[in-house]
Amino acid sequence: MARISVFGIGYVGVVSAAVLAKDGHDVIAVDVDPGKIDAINSGKSPIVEEGIDELVRDMVAAGRLRATIDFAEAIHATDLSFVCVGTPSAPDGSVGLNYVTSVCETIGRALADKDAWHSVVIRSTIVPGSTEAACIPMLEQMSGKVAGRDFGVGYYPEFLRESTAIADSYDPGLVVFGFMDEKTGEALYDLNRDMPCEIHKVDIRTAEMVKYTSNTWRAVKVTYANEIGNIAKSCGIDGQTVMEILCSDKKAALSSYFMRPGFAFGGSCLPKDVRALRHLATQNGVQPHLLNAVLDANEAQIARAEALIEKSGATKVGFVGISFKPGTDDLRESPLISLAARLIGKGIEVDIYDPFVKEAFDSGTPGAGRGNESVPDLEHRLVGDLDKLINDAGAVLVGNYYNETVDKLKAAATSRPVVDLTRLHREMVSKDRYEGICW
């Protein structure tokens, strides 16, 4: 069992400390508030939460949980520290790091005269880069030691919901942590090895970003549900019934398929339906704030891809894919059509490799080219030979994913700019001639 100190006896700190003690670890809760210290040591919880009073009482009685105001004593008596202090918004809306850096300053001073290995793990919600830019420098400055060599550092976000926090501790939907040294990574894995979900071991910045992504995604879902509810009510419909039915669809509505960063959405349904519902809302006196933002953001993603091509300096671009998604010749509201038209309008030559669209033209399909209203001479821009497309292009734009193109496109990225809107391979990230739109 581990010896753990938890800095910050607030909501997250109390629950974390009590649960860790229940798991058999020796835990010291640390805070600057004597009232909280006294409460813990007398077997009382300083917060209100389902089941926490009994858990704190039992763990204190068992001798596995105590509290102190002495930071140095806590550091020297433990091997792993969790920083669980608050990060309220600064006046400009940025994350407030004063409490976190203050704790790191005190921990750093205590580490200065500790010879044994110690890992400092941040659990407070901080934006990506904060551990590296604020916490580690403070720890190193005050300790006179080097992070990753003389002491460990990690970031381990919590996803506890108030009123169900103890249950969430044992049945989390997500476990993720980042670390800069293997000892800290192993310690965090050991604490989570029996969790009934996948354990994600990543770099520190990714772990920080996952926490913010989780919280803001919840906010978006609440906002979306409210907006749909407002629109539904304006039509005499029960919005809660609508959302309950939507959430019963695990195949599409709640699918992870649409949660993959990449290019803009298009096709015969999504753009027109967002516009139609937005129009209905406005007509009924409801402001569709989120639907407006959806269309604005989709347009901005097309502009983002356009800027990446312009940045390459290429005067001739080979498009891999032009339909709104692979496996179809449907061009209706394809964002790739829109992108190609913009580039052509700026004098950039565009050739296109799209086996499904070309097949439609070659076979004389009556609907060949359906949905194209803005790319001139589309049929004559289609190239059946991928090698020729690559060799003739100053830059290659990957709009759709086709299995048979991956190896050749990966090789192309070594000789010319490749702008990837779909991701050829999971390990590829923006570097040298290769530019991923979101990675």
Side-chain angles (χ1 to χ4, degrees):
M1 292 294 111
R3 301 187 304 164
I4 303 170
S5 47
V6 177
F7 288 79
I9 310 181
Y11 179 80
V12 174
V14 172
V15 174
S16 297
V19 168
L20 287 167
K22 182 181 179 182
D23 290 343
H25 305 293
D26 290 325
V27 182
I28 302 176
V30 191
D31 204 283
V32 296
D33 185 342
K36 293 181 178 180
I37 302 300
D38 292 342
I40 292 286
N41 286 333
S42 62
K44 299 177 182 178
S45 170
I47 67 164
V48 176
E49 170 66 26
E50 180 71 28
I52 195 65
D53 289 326
E54 297 83 354
L55 189 55
V56 168
R57 181 194 63 210
D58 293 346
M59 292 306 101
V60 170
R64 292 200 297 272
L65 173 63
R66 65 183 178 91
T68 181
I69 203 169
D70 189 335
F71 279 43
E73 188 267 333
I75 291 295
H76 285 274
T78 59
D79 308 303
L80 172 66
S81 293
F82 287 155
V83 176
C84 300
V85 295
T87 52
S89 291
D92 63 356
S94 64
V95 62
L97 295 175
N98 290 344
Y99 296 147
V100 174
T101 54
S102 177
V103 170
C104 288
E105 178 180 357
T106 309
I107 290 176
R109 287 199 183 98
L111 290 176
D113 58 359
K114 180 175 181 177
D115 295 329
W117 180 267
H118 195 96
S119 291
V120 180
V121 177
I122 311 299
R123 299 211 76 186
S124 302
T125 302
I126 52 179
V127 297
S130 298
T131 300
E132 296 171 355
C135 300
I136 291 175
M138 180 62 74
L139 290 166
E140 290 184 329
Q141 176 186 345
M142 303 312 299
S143 67
K145 297 180 178 181
V146 177
R149 186 191 72 185
D150 304 318
F151 63 91
V153 175
Y155 182 76
Y156 172 36
E158 49 78 26
F159 300 96
L160 306 177
R161 299 170 298 172
E162 293 193 34
S163 80
T164 60
I166 295 175
D168 289 345
S169 298
Y170 291 105
D171 188 18
L174 172 65
V175 170
V176 60
F177 53 80
F179 51 93
M180 67 181 305
D181 57 279
E182 288 302 322
K183 288 183 180 179
T184 301
E186 290 172 4
L188 291 173
Y189 179 79
D190 287 342
L191 292 177
N192 289 283
R193 64 168 64 247
D194 296 326
M195 290 297 180
C197 63
E198 185 176 354
I199 297 173
H200 301 272
K201 297 183 287 184
V202 297
D203 61 275
I204 287 175
R205 287 191 178 205
T206 298
E208 291 170 327
M209 187 65 188
V210 169
K211 172 61 175 177
Y212 270 88
T213 303
S214 175
N215 282 5
T216 54
W217 173 227
R218 296 180 208 181
V220 168
K221 287 192 287 186
V222 170
T223 302
Y224 180 70
N226 288 342
E227 190 157 298
I228 292 298
N230 294 340
I231 298 171
K233 182 180 179 180
S234 75
C235 299
I237 300 166
D238 186 333
Q240 289 198 347
T241 298
V242 171
M243 291 305 295
E244 287 166 1
I245 294 172
L246 180 76
C247 291
S248 70
D249 175 12
K250 304 298 192 294
K251 185 174 183 179
L254 299 183
S255 168
S256 62
Y257 178 84
F258 299 96
M259 299 292 288
R260 187 174 180 269
F263 196 38
F265 62 79
S268 61
C269 296
L270 301 188
K272 77 175 183 65
D273 291 346
V274 174
R275 288 194 299 267
L277 190 58
R278 178 180 68 168
H279 179 77
L280 175 65
T282 303
Q283 192 175 47
N284 289 356
V286 176
Q287 280 294 322
H289 303 286
L290 192 56
L291 295 180
N292 285 336
V294 166
L295 292 174
D296 289 344
N298 204 52
E299 180 68 17
Q301 198 72 344
I302 299 174
R304 183 179 179 87
E306 181 184 3
L308 291 177
I309 288 294
E310 290 183 322
K311 179 183 174 183
S312 75
T315 57
K316 185 172 184 178
V317 180
F319 271 51
V320 178
I322 196 69
S323 59
F324 88 94
K325 70 176 184 178
T328 178
D329 68 324
D330 194 345
L331 304 173
R332 286 176 290 178
E333 299 216 38
S334 168
L336 292 170
I337 283 283
S338 178
L339 176 59
R342 294 185 187 194
L343 296 176
I344 292 168
K346 292 184 175 181
I348 296 174
E349 189 174 348
V350 173
D351 287 340
I352 301 163
Y353 174 88
D354 191 312
F356 296 92
V357 175
K358 191 171 192 311
E359 179 184 349
F361 276 107
D362 290 348
S363 63
T365 301
R370 57 181 174 152
N372 173 39
E373 298 176 351
S374 52
V375 173
D377 304 318
L378 174 62
E379 182 177 3
H380 300 292
R381 295 179 185 276
L382 293 169
V383 177
D385 186 338
L386 180 61
D387 290 326
K388 176 174 173 53
L389 181 95
I390 293 172
N391 291 333
D392 291 350
V396 176
L397 181 129
V398 186
N400 285 336
Y401 183 94
Y402 306 110
N403 286 326
E404 69 275 12
T405 68
V406 173
D407 290 340
K408 290 182 179 181
L409 291 171
K410 286 172 65 177
T414 65
S415 62
R416 71 202 66 232
V418 171
V419 175
D420 190 355
L421 310 183
T422 187
R423 201 158 202 179
L424 291 167
H425 193 279
R426 190 64 181 78
E427 294 179 358
M428 296 181 74
V429 294
S430 295
K431 183 180 180 182
D432 301 328
R433 295 175 180 267
Y434 174 82
E435 188 81 56
I437 189 168
C438 293
W439 49 88

